[in-house]
Amino acid sequence: MNKQDLKEEIVRMSGSAVEKCMRCGKCSASCPSYEDMEYHPHEFVYLVEKGDIEKLMASESIYKCLTCFACVERCPRGVEPAKVVEAVRLIVIREQGMNRLKPDDIPGLWDKDLPQQAIVTAMRKYTK
Amino acid sequence: MQKIGVFVCHCGTNIAATVDVKAVVDALAKEPSVVFAADYPYMCSESGQNLIKDAIREHELTGVVICSCSPRMHEVTFRRAAASAGLNPYLVEVANIREQCSWIHKDKAEATEKAIILGRAAIAKALLNAPLIAGESPVTKRALVIGGGIAGIQTALDIAEAGFPVDIVEQKPTIGGKMAQIDKTFPTLDCSACILTPKMVECAQNENIRIFSYSEVESVSGFVGSFTVKIRKKARYVDEVKCTGCGLCTEKCPVKNVPNEFNLGFDNRRAVYIPFAQAIPKIAVIDPDRCNMLKNGKCGLCSRVCEAGAINYKQTDEIVEEHYGAIVAATGYEISDVTRYGEYAYTESKDVITSLEFERLTNAAGPTGGVLLRPSDGKHPHTIVFIQCVGSRCVLEKGKPYCSKICCMYTAKHAMLTREKYPDTEVYVFYIDVRTPGKNFDEFYRRAAEEFGVHYIKGAVGKIVPRADGTLDVQAADLIMDEQLRISADLVVLAAAIEPSKTARKLATMLTASMDTNDFFTEAHPKLRPVESPTAGIFLSGVCQGPKDIPETVSQAGACAAKVIGLLSKNKLTGNPCVAHSDELMCNGCSSCANVCPYGAITYLDKEFRMPDRTTKVRRVASVNPAVCQGCGACTVACPSGAMDLSGFSNSQIMAEVDAICR
């Protein structure tokens, strides 16, 4: 996909109005995964708006989002950054093909430090 | 035999770039009854108007059609030109080929075709025009100002200064509004009360000003120049004439636990109270919801201590009817509800406050005597976080899409004053943009950052968590450093969005004045008529029209007063002759028209009619007061028998226009 198609696809998948962002940073201020991310929620929105999406696709950041939706809840512009992150992630996963997580795989991946929310998020992320 | 002249304007390239003006002239010249057709680069110019005047005289025109901009722009210009050439001004028709044609179309052929059709419709209407003569109505030389904040006070003072009587209606027991609650004013840092209270006193002393405090507008009828307004003077249970404002009752009242609205609930007042020391009028008021005597007849202490005998538990609301020539809306603003933003923990912690609450906490007349102390434990805060745009620029249902305009500056003021008075306090300001247009405004903000060491951080606060040790854990983003911050704060101040007074919507309905989706009053023209409502005789002052700071409010209040003075200086107003009238022979007295009339212009008469058999019969028929009618046409649509018709926009004229368009 070329840059423009990629941007349009992400906007279509996420339903997010990235151009409404006023760069307040409330998404990144709210993000519990901030320290683990190379690109932070506000940068996801900014880079998608600019059409600079390959950087995001190549970054581990797409897997760090917990999908807690705090940013979606608090964004004063209704941009819904978590949906943007999810859309970028889905593009990458779909390109990779059939590497989906099955519910039966979860016990094998279990880590005692893993928050419960992360399991729910993992289901959301990998079973699509 | 009608003789119509057609004049097509180029409006420079505004029309001519999209509409083939010559083709319009050629097409309209062939229309029946058109004896003259011409085009001109600017028809509204002196020479353009002369072209019209000369044609009227030379061709003895009986009607004029001008294809130009919207009639809202230049209809008056062209009517005046026609009148000066001896043609009744209401024989002029304007076809709008700019706003409704050239500006909205791209294709020249299509736009030209549409311009010709619009011109043809105007010709069809012009052929049915009848000469009209505008009536006159008198002007009541008194103004009403609704709202007694700085906007209302300044407007009233300026009108009174010009020699016209003014009444101020204020819903609170005192005038002064929000400015009375503010500590210092930016960018000069003069004490707000010190510059406001002399103006309040001036209002009380000016013989042209009457103050209806603790009062509300109950109903408004009439029209520009002669409004009739009913004012509800709420019962104070204190005789306004007898009360000397000594305050003895407010000291003796045993009910001591009523949250004090003036100090935003930081301290308590009694059930009988005077809002603040410099209140105007300085008259006590009894809170009927808290007074034991009014609730269950047990107490009466205030009455016993009052030496003036001013306490009157039997007082009731009083309705006063007054007449005015002009009405000013100056209803101001309120602080929007910050409890909608759960992430800021406003309801969870007493140490998360709004900026107006911060004003009271730093005001020498406030609950702490001007010493900045935390509301929770009364200790001095050492780390303060200010958060900008709380609810402003928020497109969600709970927020306000607009910029509240004053927050950047008052936050800079708060931050600066805090650092000046308490240099051991660290002050952080989280901002999205710092917006400081205004004289000496940006310099003021830069001083806060450069000279007073306020930490301005570009970014937002995501969450505030009150900790067990009494601190507030502030989680935020610093977008320039690209890092997430955690600040342990003692006090958080929210720059909450301002919103129009909740009373404004109801008032606008009474005034038939229009509002925008945010409940700010709409101005007649955003640039050229900023202090007038589109409803004649209604004027706008202060934040009720849109967010503004004190200097802007005072300037607008003065401008508003000038417009009111201009109106009140006239002895008579020329009315609009395009008003409704009823054909009594067709009217069946059904009241449909009266029910839809927004101006209350229609009354019913019992009239005697001669019947074909030479008997007489009394029938109920509609009668329109032409001075009240604004010519909206609602009645002509509602009338089931077709008896109602509008002069200048008659049913037959509108049908002729439709026919011409569909031809």
Side-chain angles (χ1 to χ4, degrees):
Chain A
M1 267 192 274
N2 69 30
K3 272 189 172 189
Q4 190 56 34
D5 287 350
L6 202 53
K7 179 181 171 180
E8 278 171 20
E9 181 64 3
I10 286 170
V11 167
R12 189 190 66 75
M13 285 167 71
S14 62
S16 170
V18 284
E19 72 287 349
K20 279 194 175 172
C21 174
M22 63 171 173
R23 326 248 186 269
C24 71
K26 200 165 177 178
C27 46
S28 289
S30 300
C31 183
S33 296
Y34 188 94
E35 298 300 341
D36 298 329
M37 293 172 102
E38 179 192 4
Y39 293 106
H40 303 109
H42 73 280
E43 288 158 319
F44 266 87
V45 174
Y46 185 59
L47 290 173
V48 168
E49 194 189 336
K50 282 207 325 182
D52 221 348
I53 295 159
E54 285 90 349
K55 275 183 194 164
L56 298 172
M57 290 169 66
S59 167
E60 285 289 302
S61 300
I62 53 174
Y63 304 106
K64 303 293 182 187
C65 169
L66 295 175
T67 326
C68 73
F69 277 51
C71 52
V72 174
E73 179 64 24
R74 292 179 195 154
C75 172
R77 309 292 294 175
V79 172
E80 307 187 317
K83 293 189 183 174
V84 176
V85 179
E86 190 165 24
V88 178
R89 183 167 61 220
L90 283 175
I91 294 245
V92 173
I93 290 169
R94 284 175 189 176
E95 274 181 5
Q96 288 167 356
M98 300 293 288
N99 62 345
R100 293 173 184 166
L101 187 73
K102 294 179 189 69
D104 293 342
D105 300 339
I106 292 174
L109 299 165
W110 182 255
D111 177 342
K112 69 178 168 53
D113 294 331
L114 205 63
Q116 198 174 5
Q117 192 174 21
I119 298 167
V120 178
T121 306
M123 287 301 291
R124 221 185 127 85
K125 274 188 212 174
Y126 301 119
T127 55
K128 292 253 165 74
Chain B
M1 172 62 191
Q2 292 263 34
K3 290 185 203 166
I4 304 286
V6 176
F7 303 87
V8 185
C9 181
H10 295 228
C11 195
T13 55
N14 272 299
I15 292 171
T18 324
V19 170
D20 183 347
V21 172
K22 299 280 179 205
V24 175
V25 171
D26 291 345
L28 296 181
K30 295 190 189 91
E31 287 292 308
S33 302
V34 173
V35 295
F36 179 82
D39 61 289
Y40 197 75
Y42 290 100
M43 206 58 86
C44 59
S45 67
E46 191 71 35
S47 39
Q49 291 183 50
N50 285 337
L51 178 73
I52 299 169
K53 290 181 203 171
D54 293 344
I56 291 171
R57 292 193 196 99
E58 196 179 320
H59 299 276
E60 292 173 336
L61 298 179
T62 60
V64 167
V65 170
I66 293 153
C67 303
S68 62
C69 52
S70 161
R72 285 191 62 150
M73 290 299 294
H74 277 303
E75 187 176 63
V76 174
T77 313
F78 296 129
R79 278 183 173 166
R80 274 197 204 122
S84 75
L87 189 71
N88 183 290
Y90 294 92
L91 300 174
V92 174
E93 275 309 316
V94 178
N96 180 355
I97 61 164
R98 193 178 75 171
E99 286 85 344
Q100 291 176 354
C101 186
S102 69
W103 278 0
I104 52 166
H105 294 294
K106 284 185 180 145
D107 186 279
K108 196 162 184 175
E110 278 178 358
T112 305
E113 189 190 351
K114 181 170 171 182
I116 292 167
I117 292 170
L118 290 172
R120 226 158 50 197
I123 293 168
K125 180 164 183 253
L127 287 170
L128 296 169
N129 266 338
L132 300 173
I133 292 160
E136 286 182 334
S137 61
V139 178
T140 308
K141 293 182 179 280
R142 175 184 288 277
L144 171 65
V145 175
I146 303 167
I150 181 60
I153 288 173
Q154 189 62 48
T155 305
L157 284 173
D158 289 349
I159 297 169
E161 195 62 29
F164 294 105
V166 194
D167 292 348
I168 299 175
V169 171
E170 167 57 50
Q171 60 173 348
K172 301 238 166 60
T174 172
I175 60 168
K178 292 284 181 301
M179 193 175 164
Q181 291 176 288
I182 294 172
D183 182 34
K184 301 275 194 304
T185 54
F186 58 78
T188 44
L189 296 178
D190 26 10
C191 152
S192 184
C194 311
I195 57 175
L196 173 70
T197 49
K199 283 192 181 288
M200 291 165 62
V201 172
E202 235 181 295
C203 279
Q205 289 175 346
N206 192 312
E207 56 188 20
N208 278 333
I209 298 180
R210 273 195 307 182
I211 300 170
F212 291 96
S213 62
Y214 208 44
S215 300
E216 283 168 13
V217 172
E218 189 81 1
S219 70
V220 179
S221 60
F223 52 96
V224 55
S226 43
F227 291 106
T228 303
V229 179
K230 284 195 177 125
I231 298 163
R232 175 182 291 273
K233 291 179 73 181
K234 289 182 280 185
R236 298 176 93 103
Y237 306 100
V238 173
D239 190 313
E240 282 186 14
V241 181
K242 289 182 186 163
C243 177
T244 59
C246 72
L248 199 57
C249 54
T250 67
E251 287 164 26
K252 299 292 181 193
C253 175
V255 184
K256 298 178 182 172
N257 59 348
V258 189
N260 182 356
E261 300 89 347
F262 187 72
N263 281 333
L264 303 167
F266 283 129
D267 61 0
N268 291 330
R269 60 163 171 82
R270 309 290 175 103
V272 57
Y273 66 104
I274 294 173
F276 55 98
Q278 302 103 315
I280 298 283
K282 200 170 180 193
I283 300 168
V285 53
I286 297 180
D287 183 339
D289 298 327
R290 303 305 294 264
C291 170
N292 286 336
M293 189 66 187
L294 289 171
K295 268 166 46 188
N296 49 34
K298 287 179 190 145
C299 185
L301 196 58
C302 52
S303 173
R304 287 200 293 281
V305 298
C306 180
E307 285 168 11
I311 306 288
N312 175 7
Y313 300 116
K314 295 212 164 60
Q315 206 177 60
T316 52
D317 289 7
E318 189 189 341
I319 306 281
V320 187
E321 188 176 292
E322 293 288 342
H323 300 279
Y324 301 101
I327 299 178
V328 177
T331 46
Y333 69 95
E334 286 166 19
I335 306 296
S336 67
D337 180 11
V338 291
T339 62
R340 296 170 197 158
Y341 303 91
E343 63 269 29
Y344 296 132
Y346 180 78
T347 47
E348 291 158 53
S349 171
K350 282 185 172 175
D351 297 328
V352 179
I353 60 174
T354 66
S355 298
L356 192 61
E357 289 168 344
F358 187 86
E359 293 283 350
R360 294 316 298 156
L361 288 182
T362 50
N363 191 304
T368 56
V371 185
L372 180 58
L373 301 173
R374 280 172 24 127
S376 63
D377 54 10
K379 286 187 184 152
H380 171 59
H382 293 281
T383 305
I384 305 180
V385 169
F386 287 89
I387 305 174
Q388 302 270 261
C389 301
V390 175
S392 301
R393 309 171 68 192
C394 174
V395 297
L396 308 180
E397 183 70 21
K398 61 183 175 181
K400 305 287 169 192
Y402 49 85
C403 166
S404 293
K405 202 174 185 179
I406 55 176
C407 325
C408 285
M409 282 301 284
Y410 70 57
T411 299
K413 174 191 76 175
H414 290 162
M416 183 191 285
L417 289 173
T418 305
R419 288 282 298 161
E420 186 185 34
K421 220 167 166 185
Y422 311 102
D424 61 333
T425 305
E426 291 301 324
V427 174
Y428 298 89
V429 177
F430 284 92
Y431 68 93
I432 303 171
D433 303 287
V434 179
R435 295 177 166 176
T436 53
K439 191 173 174 181
N440 294 324
F441 279 18
D442 203 65
E443 297 89 323
F444 182 85
Y445 145 61
R446 287 313 307 165
R447 252 168 66 210
E450 292 167 26
E451 289 173 32
F452 289 86
V454 175
H455 308 297
Y456 269 86
I457 299 172
K458 160 72 190 164
V461 168
K463 197 175 183 186
I464 296 169
V465 182
R467 296 282 182 216
D469 64 356
T471 59
L472 296 160
D473 183 19
V474 178
Q475 182 183 314
D478 181 333
L479 293 184
I480 289 172
M481 294 301 291
D482 200 9
E483 63 183 19
Q484 207 173 49
L485 298 177
R486 295 299 265 273
I487 295 171
S488 179
D490 300 317
L491 188 68
V492 171
V493 185
L494 308 178
I498 59 172
E499 63 183 16
S501 163
K502 301 251 184 325
T503 60
R505 169 67 61 181
K506 195 177 151 209
L507 181 68
T509 309
M510 280 193 260
L511 297 173
T512 63
S514 55
M515 285 191 136
D516 64 18
T517 50
N518 297 312
D519 277 6
F520 288 114
F521 281 92
T522 315
E523 53 284 354
H525 189 287
K527 289 140 211 162
L528 304 177
R529 294 175 67 194
V531 297
E532 294 158 85
S533 162
T535 306
I538 309 294
F539 301 86
L540 311 173
S541 178
V543 181
C544 71
Q545 179 257 339
K548 46 182 77 67
D549 57 30
I550 296 169
E552 266 186 290
T553 297
V554 172
S555 329
Q556 201 209 18
C560 177
K563 290 288 171 192
V564 171
I565 295 163
L567 170 60
L568 298 188
S569 314
K570 290 179 183 153
N571 292 321
K572 293 224 177 291
L573 294 176
T574 306
N576 168 20
C578 297
V579 292
H581 52 87
S582 134
D583 183 339
E584 290 172 345
L585 293 176
M586 285 166 81
C587 175
N588 64 13
C590 71
S591 295
S592 298
C593 53
N595 290 340
V596 296
C597 178
Y599 307 100
I602 300 170
T603 49
Y604 284 87
L605 304 173
D606 287 321
K607 218 168 168 180
E608 273 187 16
F609 288 90
R610 248 175 93 88
M611 302 306 283
D613 58 359
R614 298 190 178 187
T615 58
T616 57
K617 190 180 171 188
V618 177
R619 274 178 47 228
R620 184 172 180 268
V621 290
S623 164
V624 180
N625 180 345
V628 183
C629 177
Q630 299 292 306
C632 73
C635 55
T636 63
V637 181
C639 180
S641 51
M644 272 291 174
D645 211 353
L646 196 59
S647 302
F649 290 92
S650 67
N651 296 332
S652 56
Q653 282 181 303
I654 289 165
M655 288 317 293
E657 283 185 285
V658 174
D659 283 344
I661 288 169
C662 299
R663 202 163 71 206

